[in-house]
Amino acid sequence: QVWQIRLDMHLLNHDGNITDAASIAGIVALCHFRRPDVSVQGEEVTVYTPEERDPVPLSIHHMPICVSFAFFHQGTYLLVDPTEREERVMDGLLVIAMNKHHEICTIQSSGVVMLLQDQILRCSKITAVKVAEITELIQKALENDQKARKEGGKFGFAESIPNQRITAFKMESAAVDTNDVEEQAGEIIAKADPPSEVSASPVVHTPGTAQIGEGLESSWGDLEESEKEEAASEEEGESEAAAFECEKVETEDTSTLKETKNEPIVVSDSEEEEVVILEPQELPRKTR
């Protein structure tokens, strides 16, 4: 017997990058969840109530965290954690899920942008740095919550309601310090070890398509027996139709020549007002 756990998420409001926010909320909910304690003796299973035994946490070995990257101008510009307005004008989105052990859990790419190998590797290195920071914040938040519960203070949903932290389409204005943004970005890029070589930009023929290098020639495998028979029958039908068209054209040319052979050719000279009648002559036969 196993536990069956389902995680439902309800969005009240968001300003973009809902994938990352949902992944953090989901992993925190699973880490915070407590299941009833169970004892197994032979084939007898006993599930204890919270009054009998304290609930126990789930066995979570690692935390996969999603980090989203928005690309603009066919991958020329890269942006981490895009907002809702930035998502409207981006060309493509790359989502990488990774844990703090630098193990990639999943990669998802969407949009009309073709990414190079170096671009994906650089995004994975940036993801490793961001996942380490987010995992540390999650662990601190869980420790603070556990400490508040032991002290008997307000926590969870009861604490969020008076402070208006959980509201729909409502956000208080707050000043954001952007003085050290460039320094923080430089530190993240330095930790991520960006590639030294600049990769060649892909050749974009039309929006949504790209070509890197000359490519390879298309090759087809051997046809099956049924396909060979169909191809042979189609070739025979085409050859018969072509022979019929050739015969028809030659017949029309011959009849035209016969009609022209017995009729005189009249030549008129408008200046001298003379009419010359030429006797019909044998015309050369056309050949194909």
Side-chain angles (χ1 to χ4, degrees), residues 250-265:
E250 290 179 356
T251 305
E252 291 179 355
D253 293 343
T254 305
S255 60
T256 303
L257 290 174
K258 289 181 179 178
E259 292 177 357
T260 309
K261 181 178 179 180
N262 299 325
E263 294 180 359
I265 302 176

Side-chain angles (χ1 to χ4, degrees), residues 219-239:
S219 60
W220 299 93
D222 295 334
L223 296 175
E224 299 293 339
E225 294 297 331
S226 59
E227 295 180 354
K228 290 181 179 179
E229 293 178 358
E230 292 179 359
S233 61
E234 290 179 358
E235 290 179 357
E236 292 178 359
E238 292 178 356
S239 60

Side-chain angles (χ1 to χ4, degrees), residues 164 177 193 219 223 232:
Q164 296 183 355
D177 186 11
D193 189 17
S219 60
L223 296 175

Side-chain angles (χ1 to χ4, degrees), residues 108-119:
Q108 181 182 6
S109 177
S110 59
V112 292
V113 61
M114 301 292 290
L115 300 177
L116 300 176
Q117 180 180 359
D118 291 346
Q119 291 175 319

Side-chain angles (χ1 to χ4, degrees), residues 182-210:
E182 296 183 357
E183 297 179 359
Q184 294 179 359
E187 293 177 359
I188 293 176
I189 293 175
K191 292 180 181 179
D193 189 17
S196 57
E197 299 180 358
V198 179
S199 302
S201 58
V203 180
V204 181
H205 301 284
T206 58
T209 62

